Amino acid sequence: MEKPVIVTVDDDPGVSRAVARDLRRRYGQAYRVVRAETARDGIDAVREMRLRGDEVAAILADYRMPQMNGVQFLEAAMDMYPFARRVLLTAYADTDAAIQAINVVDLDHYLLKPWDPPEEKFYPVIDGQLDAWLRTDRTERSELRVVGDRWSARSYQVRDFLARNHVPYLWTLAEDPEGAQLVKAAGEGCHLPLVVTAEGVTLESPDQATLAAAVGLSTTPATDFYDLIVVGGGPAGLGAAVYGASEGLNTVLVEAYSSGGQAGQSSRIENYLGFPDGVSGQQLADRARRQAQKFGAELLTARKVIRLEPSGQARVVGFKDGGEIAAHAVILATGVTYRRLEAPGLDDFVGRGVFYGAAVTEAPACENSEVHIVGAANSAGQAAVYLAGFASKVHLLVRSDGLEKSMSHYLIEQIAAMPNIDVHLQTEVVAGAGDGHLERLTLSTKGEERTVDAQWLFVFIGAEPYTSWLGETVERDAKGFVVTGPDLVQGGRRPRNWPLRREPYYLETNVPGVLAAGDVRADSIKRVASAVGEGAMAVALVHRYLEKQ
């Protein structure tokens, strides 16, 4: 077989030759090194390799090039080789550009020039990138097709599930020629939405578990006993999975819907450390998921947990669709869901014009339309800024008399600077109406009601924890949030064997070996960064717990 290729592009001939020399010296026996001294020549070379069917393992591009910069070059190369590892060569003065590239092209690494000696500053980086490429599943999958009705709640659920689990698909309306042909081929009485896999298998209105299995998501545990079970795949759960697996614990993460949780629905997170240009919730979740899998964590999707029982030294978790797994310790990271808006008529249109969360899949369909958003916290502000890029007008409906108490200052400034966002203070939705989908909203501003035309309503109000399945096993507060650490002691409910120390055991529940992290925990700070931190801290406490067993 032909050797896989390492491509290097730099417009400085001396640097270009030096890079190629260092690469050939170390990797020449296993890889073919192709160098180009202009971005245009580099793109032509990559295109020719793609047509020949060559494999490209890594692409190294200089940032400062006259025809196109390194970020633009890597972005163009991604279209032809999405699995190639991407490295930007940059001078110290261009590190800001390199950080920006992390968001634009999902950059894998950037190298500061010069890197002499290569044994210390160059080869370790390239070794890591090539190792990651070798371990990547590079099988290119044909496109999944989904056929459905525009205002079908079930069609929206299928598309949202696929999108949030990073499964690419082609969406086609049933009345379009291609959609009609697929429906006809499926047979008389076809139930929409219709999902057609790359292999030609058809699924009619599939349930979540069937759909997950059909698109290759892992739904079956590899074993029946683990060191650590993490319930919930939001930032706290993903953080726990990454740290648990990286520290040698046999870890499984169980998620009922998709990784990322509520944060995964955020169109843009701009105040998370290390991402000065922002990152979407889906991107952040996808990177964390891949990172957890890199360390060996097992991720189960579309498995809903309905039972937690202590059984001797084990903690047993039961699934809604049957079966159970056990572990020495469990971290509860089930997060929260957006509270339903209690206004007459709205429940009839969920998924048909009314959406809870950002519903990023719907944004392109909002082109040149007016959208309404309910909420005053960061998630609502992020959605308003994002949807303003599609909609002709965004109406942000705020029940209070201002945004300052609930929204970050940077978002308030962004909203104020966008001419197509109107903020309506002291305004509530009191009713919704329509024929088959949302068409009208009744709004109340300071007690005065009016009816407006509206096809799109996105709701971000409050949060409810998913903890009812815990029953009486784990202590919860009146709102359903899990009570932990000092709150248990202060309430006079200190559990037996719970360690009374000065160390931060504030994540322990009343059940030894069961911890809570993130938004599901009572009195937690509802931020992505704090949730990730609690997930990491919970793993440290699991280690301490296991040492005492």
Side-chain angles (χ1 to χ4, degrees):
M1 293 180 61
E2 287 286 337
K3 296 177 182 178
V5 181
I6 301 174
V7 178
T8 172
V9 184
D10 197 306
D11 67 315
D12 184 323
V15 174
S16 178
R17 287 191 295 270
V19 174
R21 179 200 65 218
D22 286 348
L23 288 172
R24 290 190 179 106
R25 182 182 299 164
R26 175 85 165 206
Y27 308 105
Q29 289 188 344
Y31 295 86
R32 183 161 57 95
V33 176
V34 173
R35 76 178 182 93
E37 293 183 3
T38 70
R40 187 170 316 225
D41 289 345
I43 288 296
D44 289 344
V46 170
R47 186 177 292 114
E48 185 178 341
M49 285 184 280
R50 187 70 180 89
L51 292 173
R52 285 203 310 258
D54 294 338
E55 282 198 289
V56 172
I59 303 174
L60 290 70
D62 182 50
Y63 176 66
R64 290 183 179 270
M65 294 189 290
Q67 295 167 335
M68 63 174 71
N69 66 37
V71 175
Q72 294 167 329
F73 178 87
L74 290 172
E75 194 170 13
M78 278 176 63
D79 294 335
M80 292 176 277
Y81 283 101
F83 301 110
R85 306 298 289 184
R86 297 172 285 279
V87 179
L88 192 69
L89 309 178
T90 179
Y92 181 79
D94 295 322
T95 52
D96 286 345
I99 294 172
Q100 179 187 6
I102 292 173
N103 297 319
V104 175
V105 297
D106 198 13
L107 188 70
D108 295 303
H109 206 282
Y110 70 88
L111 275 166
L112 292 177
K113 301 185 295 184
W115 49 70
D116 194 55
E119 289 77 12
E120 295 180 12
K121 299 181 179 180
F122 185 61
Y123 294 147
V125 171
I126 304 303
D127 285 348
Q129 298 307 316
L130 294 177
D131 180 63
W133 179 78
L134 288 169
R135 289 187 285 104
T136 299
D137 177 9
R138 302 186 296 278
T139 305
E140 294 192 21
R141 296 170 175 82
S142 301
E143 201 160 41
L144 191 77
R145 288 170 289 178
V146 180
V147 183
D149 295 322
R150 178 68 200 87
W151 296 111
S152 162
R154 187 72 192 106
S155 293
Y156 162 70
Q157 291 166 2
V158 167
R159 290 158 50 219
D160 185 62
F161 178 79
L162 293 172
R164 290 178 59 185
N165 281 287
H166 312 281
V167 179
Y169 67 93
L170 177 65
W171 162 244
T172 307
L173 294 174
E175 59 265 27
D176 289 345
E178 183 181 356
Q181 291 172 7
L182 291 172
V183 171
K184 184 177 181 180
E188 190 173 344
C190 173
H191 296 286
L192 298 179
L194 174 68
V195 177
V196 183
T197 70
E199 295 76 24
V201 177
T202 59
L203 305 172
E204 298 182 20
S205 190
D207 59 41
Q208 192 168 291
T210 302
L211 182 60
V215 299
L217 298 176
S218 179
T219 59
T220 304
T223 184
D224 56 4
F225 196 90
Y226 297 84
D227 293 323
L228 173 63
I229 298 172
V230 181
V231 184
L238 288 167
V242 167
Y243 284 95
S246 67
E247 294 176 13
L249 296 178
N250 185 13
T251 302
V252 61
L253 183 150
V254 184
E255 169 54 45
Y257 193 74
S258 66
S259 58
Q262 196 176 54
Q265 294 180 273
S266 296
S267 52
R268 203 72 180 166
I269 301 171
E270 296 192 67
N271 59 350
Y272 189 71
L273 185 69
F275 293 89
D277 297 304
V279 61
S280 76
Q282 285 193 1
Q283 286 177 317
L284 192 63
D286 182 51
R287 292 177 184 181
R289 177 186 58 79
R290 288 189 281 120
Q291 192 174 17
Q293 291 177 317
K294 164 190 168 184
F295 288 121
E298 184 180 339
L299 272 61
L300 302 182
T301 306
R303 297 301 297 272
K304 192 170 186 177
V305 175
I306 60 168
R307 176 169 50 90
L308 172 63
E309 297 176 353
S311 178
Q313 295 297 313
R315 303 292 174 261
V316 180
V317 165
F319 299 120
K320 181 179 181 180
D321 55 358
E324 62 184 31
I325 53 177
H328 294 298
V330 173
I331 295 175
L332 304 175
T334 49
V336 295
T337 58
Y338 289 112
R339 190 178 302 127
R340 289 297 179 103
L341 189 60
E342 295 181 1
L346 291 187
D347 281 349
D348 297 333
F349 303 121
V350 174
R352 296 186 294 162
V354 177
F355 305 94
Y356 288 87
V360 175
T361 55
E362 301 303 297
C366 297
E367 188 85 39
N368 299 322
S369 300
E370 295 195 11
V371 304
H372 291 75
I373 298 173
V374 179
N378 280 5
S379 53
Q382 290 160 352
V385 171
Y386 177 71
L387 290 170
F390 298 89
S392 59
K393 178 71 72 174
V394 174
H395 300 276
L396 184 60
L397 311 179
V398 180
R399 186 173 59 178
S400 65
D401 57 2
L403 296 172
E404 290 74 17
K405 293 182 180 179
S406 54
M407 190 178 293
S408 294
H409 180 68
Y410 80 92
L411 275 173
I412 296 175
E413 287 188 325
Q414 287 184 17
I415 289 170
M418 302 191 77
N420 63 334
I421 300 180
D422 287 346
V423 180
H424 304 267
L425 301 178
Q426 296 180 302
T427 300
E428 298 182 62
V429 176
V430 295
D435 182 12
H437 63 90
L438 181 68
E439 294 178 317
R440 295 175 299 281
L441 287 174
T442 301
L443 307 179
S444 174
T445 301
K446 299 180 181 179
E448 294 185 8
E449 293 188 359
R450 67 186 189 279
T451 299
V452 299
D453 292 335
Q455 288 189 322
W456 306 97
L457 178 67
F458 299 88
V459 183
F460 302 83
I461 55 167
E464 295 177 342
Y466 172 56
T467 56
S468 58
W469 60 279
L470 291 169
E472 300 298 321
T473 304
V474 175
E475 187 77 35
R476 293 174 289 144
D477 66 12
K479 294 182 179 179
F481 291 91
V482 176
V483 179
T484 60
D487 292 335
L488 290 167
V489 176
Q490 292 168 8
R493 299 184 300 274
R494 180 172 60 83
R496 185 166 55 88
N497 298 330
W498 192 76
L500 285 175
R501 294 186 180 183
R502 295 177 64 92
E503 290 93 348
Y505 277 84
Y506 61 92
L507 303 181
E508 291 252 11
T509 70
N510 61 303
V511 180
V514 177
L515 302 95
D519 290 359
V520 75
R521 192 177 66 81
D523 298 324
S524 64
I525 299 173
K526 305 301 188 274
R527 295 287 190 194
V528 176
S530 60
V532 173
E534 288 194 4
M537 178 62 74
V539 171
L541 299 182
V542 165
H543 279 294
R544 296 186 187 183
Y545 170 77
L546 294 177
E547 288 172 0
K548 300 183 187 331
Q549 302 309 302

